[in-house]
C-alpha cells in the first residue's frame, strides 16, 4: 500500500488548513453533491462513524475515506488540495498511461499520456527539453497566449536524443505521424504556465527588482540589522594604472575587469560594507574582506580629486551612528557563487559572526532585489558616466575595437585609485539622498529611526565579540602549522607559511615547541605579521616574516603570484633581494599586452597605499599632540600696569 492509498484517520484531518471553495461558482447539480461531500468529511473529522455518515449525508463510506485522503494530498501550488478535492469531476492525480503507445501512421489519436510516459521513463529527455527553455532556444513571442518560436529545432534535437538512447523507428515518438511534435509543444507551454520565471526567461525578459518586491513582500525586513543582502557586481568600466619605474618615468596600462562587492541592509537600504577587487574572478577572500569591513568602523574618506564634495547629510553608517559600531546582522542572503559556498566563507558567516545564511536559487538576481537595485544605481550614477564606460554588449564591442586601435589614448580613463575615491563619494552621498522606497527619507535617517527609536521601538543590536574587534583576522579559520627547528644544528624554532619562514623572539627561545602545531590566524591583505596560538589556546606573540617579506606590504594573492612565477622559472630573486620589486619588474614587461599583468601592478599599488594610510593613522593615534612653540617676549601679552621707557637716540641720528 502506497502512502497515497493509506487510510486517513479523523485525528489527522485539519480542516482549518484546507483551502476553501466558493461553492456559488459551481453549477447547481454539482453544488449539491459538493455540499453533501463537505458535510460528510466534516462529520468524519468530528469522529462520527462511517455508517452514520452514510445514512445522514448519503455518501458511501469508501467515498468518504477517498475524499479525506485526496484532500490531504499536496497540490501543485504548494498547499493541500483541501475542499477542492471534493468538487465533482476534479482530477486530483494527473493521468498516467500504463499501456504501451500505439503505432499511429495514418491517425493522430489514441495515445493520450504517451509523451508524459516517455519523459517518466527517460528523465534525461525531460531535462534536455526543459533546458531548451532555460537557454532560450525556444522563445515565447509577444501576445496572449503567445506563440512558441524554435519548436522545430528543439524537436529535431529531441529526436536525436531519443535515437542516442536506443529508440528506433518502431518506438515512440519516432513511430508517429508527426513524431509527437505537437505533444512536445504542449508540454513546453504547460511548463511555462506553471512557472512564471521560466516563461519570462523564454520571452527574453526578467522581472524588475521593484516588481519582485511587490510580488514577494516577505523578502523585506522590518528592523535594521535583521536581514542583509550580499552580492558581487562586475563594473562595466575601463580602468588604467599609472606605474612609475625605477628611473622616474610613468607608464599607463589598462587593467582587467573590476568587481564591486557590497552588503546592504534591507530595512534601511544602508550600505554596511563594500570592497573593490581587481582580480579576474572574486574569491572567498574578497567576500570575507567585505564582511570584515561591514562589521568594523569606517572613517571619513580622503578625497584628492578636485571638484568632489561630500554631502553634509551623507556619511557611512558606523561613522554617522556610533551605536552601530561593531554591529552584526541576523540573516544574510547570498547567491550560489563558489566564493560564497566555500567552507571558509560559511564558517565566517555562520560561526564567527553568528548569523544564518540564506542561499537563493542560482541565476535568480530578483531573489536579492535590494542589492541588485543598488548596483543599478551605481551603474547609472557612476559607471556609465565615466569616460571608459562600457554600456552593454555593443559598448563592449566598441571598446574592443578601440583597444585594437594603435591611436587609442587612455588619457581620460580613470585609475583604480580614482575609482576608489569616486566610489567612496557615491556611497557617502547615497546615504544622504532621499530614497523613494523609504517614503522620502534618506537611508541614514531611516537607520537613525531604527537605532535611536524615533517614532518606534529601538532595535536591539548584536555586537561582535571583543576579540574580533581588536583582531579582525580572527574571522578566518585558523591554519595549523608545524613548528620546525633542530637543536643539533642550532636551528631556532620557526614555522613555514606559504613558502616564507615566520618566527618571533618568544618562539625562537622555546625549543619545547619544536614538532608541535600552532593555530595561525592571518590577514590575507597583509602577510607581514601572523597571529599564533598553541593548540591548547595559549596566545603567543605575533610572528614576523623573514627577510624582505617583513618590510614590504603584500597580500596573499601577490605572494602566490610571486611563487607561481618562480616555479615557472620566470622570476628569480636572492635572499637579500626585494621579491615584490622583482615581481613588478616582471609584470612591467608584458603589462602593455596583458591586462592581467596591469591588474597585478594595480593590486601592489593598492596594498602599498593601504599600508601607508594605516601607518599614518597609527602614528597619529599614538603620538602626543605637538606642543605650541614658545612665544617671544615681545609678542607675549602684558599683564598689570605698563610703565613707559625712556627712548634713547644713538649718535649720528638727527633729532
Amino acid at each position: 500500500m502506497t502512502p497515497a492509498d493509506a487510510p486517513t484517520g479523523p485525528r489527522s484531518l485539519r480542516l482549518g488548513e484546507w483551502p476553501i471553495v466558493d461553492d456559488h461558482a459551481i453549477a447547481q447539480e454539482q453544488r449539491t453533491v459538493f455540499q453533501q461531500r463537505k458535510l460528510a468529511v466534516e462529520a468524519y473529522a468530528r469522529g462520527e462513524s462511517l455508517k452514520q455518515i452514510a445514512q445522514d449525508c448519503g455518501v458511501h463510506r469508501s467515498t468518504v475515506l477517498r475524499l479525506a485522503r485526496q484532500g490531504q494530498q499536496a497540490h501543485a501550488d504548494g498547499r493541500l488540495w483541501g475542499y477542492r478535492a471534493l468538487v465533482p469531476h476534479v482530477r486530483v492525480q494527473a493521468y498516467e498511461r500504463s499501456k504501451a503507445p500505439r503505432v499511429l501512421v495514418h491517425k493522430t489519436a489514441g495515445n493520450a499520456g504517451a509523451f508524459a510516459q516517455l519523459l517518466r521513463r527517460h528523465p534525461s529527455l525531460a531535462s534536455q527539453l526543459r533546458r531548451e527553455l532555460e537557454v532560450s532556444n525556444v522563445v515565447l513571442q509577444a501576445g496572449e497566449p503567445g506563440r512558441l518560436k524554435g519548436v522545430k529545432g528543439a524537436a529535431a534535437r529531441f529526436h536525436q536524443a531519443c535515437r542516442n538512447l536506443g529508440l528506433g523507428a518502431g518506438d515512440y515518438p519516432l513511430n508517429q505521424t508527426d513524431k509527437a511534435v505537437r505533444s512536445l509543444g504542449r508540454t513546453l507551454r504547460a511548463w511555462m504556465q506553471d512557472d512564471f520565471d521560466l516563461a519570462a526567461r523564454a520571452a527574453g525578459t526578467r522581472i524588475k527588482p521593484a516588481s519582485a518586491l511587490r510580488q514577494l513582500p516577505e523578502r523585506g525586513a522590518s528592523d535594521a540589522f535583521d536581514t542583509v543582502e550580499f552580492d558581487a557586481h562586475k563594473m562595466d568600466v575601463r580602468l588604467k594604472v599609472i606605474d612609475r619605474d625605477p628611473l622616474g618615468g610613468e607608464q599607463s596600462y589598462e587593467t582587467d575587469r573590476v568587481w564591486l562587492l557590497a552588503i546592504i541592509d534591507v530595512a534601511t537600504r544602508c550600505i554596511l560594507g563594500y570592497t573593490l577587487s581587481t582580480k579576474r574572478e572574486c574569491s572567498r577572500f574578497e567576500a570575507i574582506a567585505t564582511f570584515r569591513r561591514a562589521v568594523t568602523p569606517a572613517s571619513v574618506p580622503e578625497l584628492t580629486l578636485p571638484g568632489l564634495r561630500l554631502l553634509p547629510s551623507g556619511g557611512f553608517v558606523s561613522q554617522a551612528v556610533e551605536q552601530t559600531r561593531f554591529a552584526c546582522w541576523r540573516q544574510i542572503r547570498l547567491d550560489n557563487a563558489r566564493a560564497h559556498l566555500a567552507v571558509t566563507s560559511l564558517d565566517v558567516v555562520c560561526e564567527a559572526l553568528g548569523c544564518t545564511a540564506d542561499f537563493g536559487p542560482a541565476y535568480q538576481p530578483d531573489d536579492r532585489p535590494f542589492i541588485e537595485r543598488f548596483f543599478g544605481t551605481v551603474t547609472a550614477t557612476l559607471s556609465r558616466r565615466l569616460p571608459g564606460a562600457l554600456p552593454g554588449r555593443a559598448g563592449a564591442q566598441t571598446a574592443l575595437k578601440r583597444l585594437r586601435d594603435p591611436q587609442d589614448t587612455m588619457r581620460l580613463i580613470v585609475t583604480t585609485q580614482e575609482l576608489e575615491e569616486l566610489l567612496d563619494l557615491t556611497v557617502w552621498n547615497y546615504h544622504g539622498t532621499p530614497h523613494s522606497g523609504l517614503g522620502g527619507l534618506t537611508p541614514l535617517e531611516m537607520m537613525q529611526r531604527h537605532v535611536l527609536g524615533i517614532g518606534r521601538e529601538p532595535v536591539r543590536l548584536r555586537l561582535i565579540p571583543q576579540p574580533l574587534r581588536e583582531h579582525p583576522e580572527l574571522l578566518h579559520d585558523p591554519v595549523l602549522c608545524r613548528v620546525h627547528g633542530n637543536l643539533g644544528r642550532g636551528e631556532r624554532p620557526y614555522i613555514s607559511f606559504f613558502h616564507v619562514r615566520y618566527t618571533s623572539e618568544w618562539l625562537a627561545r622555546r625549543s619545547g615547541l619544536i614538532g608541535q602545531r600552532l593555530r595561525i590566524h592571518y590577514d590575507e591583505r597583509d602577510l607581514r605579521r601572523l597571529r599564533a596560538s598553541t593548540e591548547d589556546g595559549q596566545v603567543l606573540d605575533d610572528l614576523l616574516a623573514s627577510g624582505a617579506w617583513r618590510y614590504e606590504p603584500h597580500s596573499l594573492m601577490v605572494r602566490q603570484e610571486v611563487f607561481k612565477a618562480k616555479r615557472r622559472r620566470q622570476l628569480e630573486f636572492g635572499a637579500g633581494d626585494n621579491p615584490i620589486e622583482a615581481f613588478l619588474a616582471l609584470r612591467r614587461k608584458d603589462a602593455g599586452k596583458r591586462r592581467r599583468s596591469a591588474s597585478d601592478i594595480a593590486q601592489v599599488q593598492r596594498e602599498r597605499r593601504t599600508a601607508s594610510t594605516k601607518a599614518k593613522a597609527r602614528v597619529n593615534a599614538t603620538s602626543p599632540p605637538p606642543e605650541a612653540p614658545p612665544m617671544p617676549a615681545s609678542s607675549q601679552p602684558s599683564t598689570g600696569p605698563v610703565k613707559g621707557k625712556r627712548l634713547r637716540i644713538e649718535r649720528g641720528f638727527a633729532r
Side-chain angles (χ1 to χ4, degrees):
M1 180 179 297
T2 61
D5 299 333
T8 303
R11 296 182 179 180
S12 63
L13 294 180
R14 298 180 180 179
L15 301 184
E17 300 178 359
W18 280 25
I20 61 176
V21 175
D22 185 7
D23 53 357
H24 295 285
I26 307 176
Q28 181 62 35
E29 299 179 357
Q30 299 179 359
R31 186 190 310 169
T32 304
V33 178
F34 170 76
Q35 292 176 350
Q36 293 177 351
R37 293 179 175 182
K38 182 178 179 181
L39 295 176
V41 172
E42 292 176 349
Y44 176 70
R46 291 193 299 267
E48 298 183 10
S49 62
L50 295 176
K51 183 178 181 180
Q52 185 66 29
I53 294 174
Q55 295 177 358
D56 297 342
C57 303
V59 182
H60 195 267
R61 55 186 303 172
S62 61
T63 305
V64 176
L65 295 177
R66 176 175 59 84
L67 295 175
R69 182 174 62 251
Q70 291 178 350
Q72 288 293 106
Q73 294 182 9
H75 193 271
D77 59 1
R79 300 181 298 172
L80 298 177
W81 267 93
Y83 289 104
R84 294 176 292 182
L86 277 57
V87 179
H89 310 300
V90 169
R91 188 180 296 274
V92 176
Q93 187 175 1
Y95 171 71
E96 294 185 2
R97 185 184 182 93
S98 58
K99 299 179 61 176
R102 299 168 51 189
V103 179
L104 297 179
V105 180
H106 303 290
K107 299 181 180 180
T108 59
N111 278 339
F115 195 81
Q117 183 185 39
L118 175 66
L119 298 183
R120 286 196 306 271
R121 291 180 178 178
H122 303 283
S124 60
L125 295 178
S127 301
Q128 177 184 347
L129 195 59
R130 194 173 188 87
R131 198 179 304 114
E132 298 286 346
L133 293 175
E134 295 176 351
V135 300
S136 301
N137 288 338
V138 178
V139 180
L140 180 63
Q141 294 183 344
E144 293 292 342
R147 178 182 179 184
L148 295 179
K149 182 180 180 181
V151 177
K152 291 185 178 180
R157 290 185 290 270
F158 183 80
H159 295 156
Q160 184 61 38
C162 293
R163 297 186 186 95
N164 296 338
L165 292 176
L167 300 179
D171 300 322
Y172 185 88
L174 302 178
N175 60 358
Q176 303 298 303
T177 303
D178 60 344
K179 300 296 188 297
V181 175
R182 293 186 300 173
S183 299
L184 185 146
R186 285 194 296 266
T187 302
L188 294 176
R189 191 179 298 277
W191 286 349
M192 289 188 295
Q193 291 176 353
D194 295 338
D195 191 345
F196 181 81
D197 295 336
L198 190 64
R201 190 180 297 111
T205 59
R206 58 181 289 268
I207 309 174
K208 295 182 179 180
S211 301
L213 291 180
R214 289 194 295 268
Q215 297 180 13
L216 301 174
E218 67 276 4
R219 304 305 293 173
S222 57
D223 296 330
F225 286 93
D226 178 78
T227 304
V228 299
E229 293 181 356
F230 170 74
D231 204 354
H233 169 68
K234 185 173 73 68
M235 302 183 68
D236 296 331
V237 61
R238 299 172 64 193
L239 293 179
K240 69 178 179 181
V241 55
I242 300 178
D243 180 44
R244 293 176 175 83
D245 53 22
L247 299 179
E250 291 187 357
Q251 298 291 336
S252 297
Y253 308 110
E254 185 166 0
T255 63
D256 207 350
R257 64 183 64 178
V258 57
W259 292 86
L260 171 61
L261 298 87
I263 296 180
I264 188 173
D265 183 72
V266 173
T268 63
R269 310 296 199 275
C270 286
I271 304 301
L272 303 181
Y274 59 94
T275 305
L276 275 180
S277 174
T278 56
K279 296 183 181 179
R280 192 171 187 85
E281 295 294 340
C282 296
S283 64
R284 66 182 187 275
F285 298 110
E286 281 75 25
I288 297 175
T290 309
F291 299 154
R292 178 172 54 218
R293 188 169 182 179
V295 298
T296 53
S299 57
V300 180
E302 297 182 2
L303 304 180
T304 60
L305 295 177
L308 299 185
R309 185 178 63 90
L310 298 175
L311 289 180
S313 59
F316 297 141
V317 176
S318 58
Q319 172 264 336
V321 186
E322 296 184 358
Q323 291 82 353
T324 61
R325 296 165 62 93
F326 304 106
C328 188
W329 48 86
R330 181 190 64 85
Q331 180 188 19
I332 183 171
R333 296 174 184 159
L334 312 96
D335 58 5
N336 286 270
R338 292 190 176 184
H340 308 161
L341 297 175
V343 177
T344 307
S345 301
L346 292 179
D347 290 344
V348 170
V349 171
C350 301
E351 296 183 9
L353 297 180
C355 60
T356 59
D358 179 11
F359 289 95
Y363 309 107
Q364 297 280 343
D366 295 330
D367 193 67
R368 295 166 301 280
F370 301 98
I371 189 63
E372 295 294 342
R373 185 64 187 89
F374 170 73
F375 288 152
T377 302
V378 172
T379 301
T381 59
L382 178 62
S383 300
R384 293 185 179 177
R385 294 189 176 187
L386 296 178
L390 302 176
R393 183 178 301 178
Q397 295 177 357
T398 304
L400 291 178
K401 293 180 180 179
R402 289 201 304 264
L403 290 176
R404 300 187 182 99
D405 186 5
Q407 299 180 355
D408 183 30
T409 177
M410 294 185 295
R411 181 175 56 88
L412 298 180
I413 299 179
V414 299
T415 63
T416 54
Q417 181 180 0
E418 294 171 347
L419 181 62
E420 291 179 2
E421 294 187 12
L422 292 174
L423 183 60
D424 293 340
L425 176 70
T426 301
V427 176
W428 180 287
N429 294 345
Y430 165 80
H431 286 159
T433 305
H435 199 291
S436 60
L438 302 177
L441 297 176
T442 65
L444 276 184
E445 291 176 348
M446 182 60 70
M447 177 65 71
Q448 292 173 354
R449 289 197 172 196
H450 282 248
V451 175
L452 304 179
I454 302 176
R456 50 159 296 159
E457 291 292 331
V459 297
R460 298 182 58 183
L461 298 178
R462 184 173 59 87
L463 306 181
I464 61 177
Q466 187 67 28
L468 290 180
R469 305 182 193 180
E470 300 176 356
H471 304 282
E473 62 271 10
L474 296 178
L475 286 174
H476 284 276
D477 285 345
V479 178
L480 297 179
C481 295
R482 190 173 299 277
V483 180
H484 301 280
N486 194 304
L487 292 176
R489 295 195 301 265
E491 192 175 25
R492 291 184 177 274
Y494 70 93
I495 66 169
S496 180
F497 184 79
F498 282 99
H499 314 290
V500 177
R501 291 189 176 188
Y502 286 82
T503 187
S504 64
E505 295 183 3
W506 188 92
L507 179 62
R509 295 194 300 264
R510 298 298 187 272
S511 59
L513 292 178
I514 297 177
Q516 299 184 13
R517 295 190 302 179
L518 299 181
R519 294 167 56 89
I520 303 299
H521 293 274
Y522 63 97
D523 185 359
E524 79 284 351
R525 301 173 301 176
D526 192 354
L527 294 185
R528 294 177 296 176
R529 185 185 300 267
L530 301 179
R531 184 174 177 82
S533 62
T534 60
E535 289 188 301
D536 57 358
Q538 181 182 359
V539 179
L540 310 181
D541 293 341
D542 291 347
L543 305 182
L544 302 178
S546 60
W549 298 101
R550 179 181 303 181
Y551 308 103
E552 185 69 31
H554 62 283
S555 63
L556 176 62
M557 186 272 292
V558 172
R559 182 182 294 185
Q560 290 176 340
E561 292 294 330
V562 168
F563 283 97
K564 183 188 298 183
K566 188 175 182 179
R567 286 194 303 269
R568 295 177 178 177
R569 301 181 183 275
Q570 300 174 354
L571 183 63
E572 293 292 339
F573 54 89
D577 299 336
N578 191 334
I580 306 300
E581 290 296 337
F583 176 70
L584 288 177
L586 175 65
R587 288 294 184 257
R588 289 190 184 105
K589 295 180 181 179
D590 55 353
K593 301 178 182 179
R594 297 179 67 248
R595 290 188 292 174
R596 191 169 183 178
S597 299
S599 297
D600 292 342
I601 297 176
Q603 180 67 22
V604 174
Q605 291 183 358
R606 287 185 60 192
E607 294 169 2
R608 289 179 173 179
R609 189 166 57 250
T610 303
S612 177
T613 303
K614 290 183 177 180
K616 292 180 181 179
R618 194 181 305 111
V619 170
N620 295 335
T622 56
S623 60
E627 298 182 358
M631 301 176 60
S634 59
S635 61
Q636 292 181 358
S638 59
T639 59
V642 180
K643 297 182 179 180
K645 292 185 178 181
R646 187 175 181 179
L647 181 61
R648 185 177 181 181
I649 302 176
E650 301 292 339
R651 296 185 61 174
F653 292 90
R655 292 181 181 270

